[in-house]
Amino acid sequence: MKIAAAVGTLCLVTPLIFLPVSPASALDASTSSCVTCHTDVKGLIRLGWEVEKVRGKARVSAENEGEG
Amino acid sequence: MEPYEKIYVDPAFLETEHGQIACVDCHGGNPEDPNWQTAHDNLVKDPTFPDPEKTCGECHPDIAAGAATSLHYTIAPIGRVIERRMGPAPENVRQAMATARERHCGQCHASCGQCHVSRPDYVRGGFLTGHQFKKTPPMETTCASCHGGRIFGEFTGLNKKIPADTHFADEDMTCMDCHKADQMHAAADGVATRRQSPTRPRCEACHPEAVAEDSPRPAHQIHRRKVACQVCHAQPAKQCYGCHVGTDKKNIPYFKCQKTTLDFKIGLNPDPSPDRPCRYSVKRHPPIVPETFDYYSPGALKHFDQEPTWKSGAPHTIRRRTPQNAACNNCHGNRELFLDVKDLADWERKANAAVVVSDENLPPAIAPEDMPKN
C-alpha cells in the first residue's frame, strides 16, 4: 500500500519538476516590489507627486544664460 | 519627459534576456519592502558607473574593461586641457578647480547605462524604452542629450540657413554609422585628446578614393595630405564664446555663455604628424576664457596660452558642394575664410599664434591659366 502511494506521488510530482517556467512567472516568484511598482503607470504617476513633495522638483539654476 | 515615464518599466523588458536578472542584483535596494522610501535605501541608480565590470562586465567583460577608461566615461581630455591651462598650481587652487570640474565639466560623462538603457544623467536620465536595453542607442535621445548644443544641430540641419550634413540628409546615416561601438567602448588611457584616439572616425574609411594618390578628382590629388577634408566640404558651424561657471544662491551649478555665432574659419594645424599631416584644418572656438573658473579660483588658468582657443574641429555640416569648393579662388586668396589675427580678442592672440593664418601663409589666388581642368 505504501509503495503504491509512493509511486503515485512520484507520478504526480515528476512532471511538475520538468514543466517549463516562464520568465515572467520566474520574476513574479521573486516577489519584487520593484517590478510591481515600476510596471504600474497609475501608481508611478501618484508616486511621482509624492516624490516631488519629499524631494522637490529637479533643480536647474535660474542663472543659466546662453547656449550650453 | 514626465517623471513617471523616466522610471516606468515596460513588462516587455521582463521577457528580454536582461529582464531575467533580478532588479536587486544590479541596483541593490530592498525589493521586498513595499514602502518606496525605505525600499530605495542603498539603491544604485546607475550600476554601470563608475565601475561597469561588476554588472555589464559579468557577461561583456571585454567591452566593460575598455569602457571604464573610455572618453565617454572619463572625459579625461577636458581635464588635461584645463591642467595645461593651469600649469603648476598650489594645492588650494587645485582643490577649487577639482570642485569646479566635478560640478560642471564632470556632469557630461556617460556610462554604459546612460547610452544603452536611459538618457544621460546630464539631462536627468529617464529610460529610453521602459528599461529595455538598446544595442544601438537612439541618437536623438542619447547622443543629442549631450552633443545637442553644437554637433547634433549641425548634423540634422537645425542651424538657420545651414543645410543638414549630407550623411544625415541624403544617406539617412546616424551618429553610430561613423562613431561605431569599437570607438565608443575603446579604452583611452593616456589619450591626450579625442582627436588622437586610434578608433576615431576617418573620412577615408568610406571614401578611400578621395585620398588616393591617383584620385580621379584633380582637387583631391592636389590637396591630399595638405588640407583636411572639412576645409573643402564643411559649412559654417557653431562657435561659443565667454563661458563662466559658478554656483547660485541655492547651491545649484550654473553656466553663462556670452554668445554663439555660426562661422567658418580655416587655420593652421599647429602640430602636424604622420597621422594628421594636413597643414590647414577647420577651427572651432570652444567657450573657454581666462575667467571661466574665476568663481571657484580667480586667475586659476595662469597658463591659459598653452592651448589655442581656435582648435581643430570636425564640423558635422558636410556637403559635397560648398561655397568654398565651387571654384579655386573662392578659397585661394579669400582672406575671410582664414583665421586672421583680426578675428581674435586681445587676450587670445598669444594662445592662437600657431593657428592664425598670416598673409604669407594664405594660399594665393590662382591665375585662370593655372587652374586644373575639371
Side-chain angles (χ1 to χ4, degrees), chain B residues 192-241:
Chain B
T193 75
R194 65 191 156 80
R195 303 182 71 73
Q196 285 181 5
S197 165
T199 54
R200 71 184 185 279
R202 313 285 300 232
C203 306
E204 58 264 38
C206 292
H207 304 282
E209 78 291 348
V211 291
E213 276 182 65
D214 58 348
S215 172
R217 292 190 179 277
H220 285 161
Q221 287 177 23
I222 294 166
H223 295 102
R224 69 184 288 276
R225 298 181 71 79
K226 295 178 193 159
V227 170
C229 305
Q230 293 90 348
V231 169
C232 295
H233 292 286
Q235 308 168 93
K238 194 168 278 184
Q239 319 294 344
C240 302
Y241 299 86

Side-chain angles (χ1 to χ4, degrees), chain B residues 107-350:
Chain B
Q107 297 306 307
C108 279
H109 69 74
S111 62
C112 306
Q114 289 178 44
C115 290
H116 293 284
V117 183
S118 74
R119 303 186 311 164
D121 264 1
Y122 178 66
V123 289
R124 289 179 288 287
F127 297 147
L128 298 172
T129 317
H131 204 290
Q132 295 200 50
F133 284 59
K134 297 288 178 189
K135 186 174 182 185
T136 304
M139 69 172 184
E140 295 85 355
T141 41
T142 52
C143 314
S145 293
C146 295
H147 301 282
R150 298 192 288 191
I151 300 295
F152 189 72
E154 292 168 6
F155 188 59
T156 57
L158 300 180
N159 291 331
K160 203 173 178 184
K161 294 186 179 172
I162 311 291
D165 192 298
T166 186
H167 299 93
F168 174 79
D170 304 315
E171 303 298 330
D172 265 346
M173 290 168 69
T174 69
C175 306
M176 274 66 71
D177 286 316
C178 293
H179 300 277
K180 295 180 185 296
D182 64 344
Q183 181 202 1
M184 296 293 103
H185 301 151
D189 299 306
V191 172
T193 75
R194 65 191 156 80
R195 303 182 71 73
Q196 285 181 5
S197 165
T199 54
R200 71 184 185 279
R202 313 285 300 232
C203 306
E204 58 264 38
C206 292
H207 304 282
E209 78 291 348
V211 291
E213 276 182 65
D214 58 348
S215 172
R217 292 190 179 277
H220 285 161
Q221 287 177 23
I222 294 166
H223 295 102
R224 69 184 288 276
R225 298 181 71 79
K226 295 178 193 159
V227 170
C229 305
Q230 293 90 348
V231 169
C232 295
H233 292 286
Q235 308 168 93
K238 194 168 278 184
Q239 319 294 344
C240 302
Y241 299 86
C243 184
H244 292 73
V245 294
T247 308
D248 68 15
K249 287 174 187 165
K250 294 177 184 167
N251 204 31
I252 308 172
Y254 68 78
F255 66 85
K256 294 175 191 283
C257 184
Q258 281 171 347
K259 70 168 182 176
T260 54
T261 60
L262 287 170
D263 279 323
F264 181 81
K265 288 291 173 189
I266 302 164
L268 295 177
N269 175 3
D271 190 18
S273 65
D275 190 38
R276 305 186 64 79
C278 295
R279 186 163 189 228
Y280 297 98
S281 62
V282 177
K283 299 299 172 187
R284 169 96 76 178
H285 198 285
I288 190 127
V289 288
E291 301 82 20
T292 292
F293 297 104
D294 273 6
Y295 174 91
Y296 293 95
S297 181
L301 304 181
K302 290 203 183 318
H303 295 259
F304 187 84
D305 299 337
Q306 290 295 307
E307 288 278 327
T309 55
W310 282 92
K311 305 174 80 74
S312 288
H316 286 52
T317 52
I318 301 300
R319 307 292 291 186
R320 188 174 172 211
R321 293 258 175 231
T322 58
Q324 71 272 24
N325 75 16
C328 302
N329 288 336
N330 284 14
C331 188
H332 281 256
N334 184 353
R335 180 74 259 181
E336 281 295 300
L337 287 186
F338 292 83
L339 187 67
D340 191 0
V341 73
K342 290 178 199 155
D343 297 317
L344 306 174
D346 288 346
W347 55 264
E348 58 183 350
R349 288 191 176 181
K350 195 174 166 192

Side-chain angles (χ1 to χ4, degrees), chain A residues 32-54:
Chain A
S32 164
S33 311
C34 321
V35 172
T36 311
C37 287
H38 282 265
T39 53
D40 172 15
V41 175
K42 284 183 184 170
L44 286 177
I45 292 172
R46 278 194 297 272
L47 197 62
W49 299 331
E50 207 177 316
V51 171
E52 201 173 285
K53 273 186 211 158
V54 176

Side-chain angles (χ1 to χ4, degrees), chain B residues 57-69:
Chain B
E58 287 287 313
C59 298
H60 312 281
D62 296 347
I63 295 173
T69 62

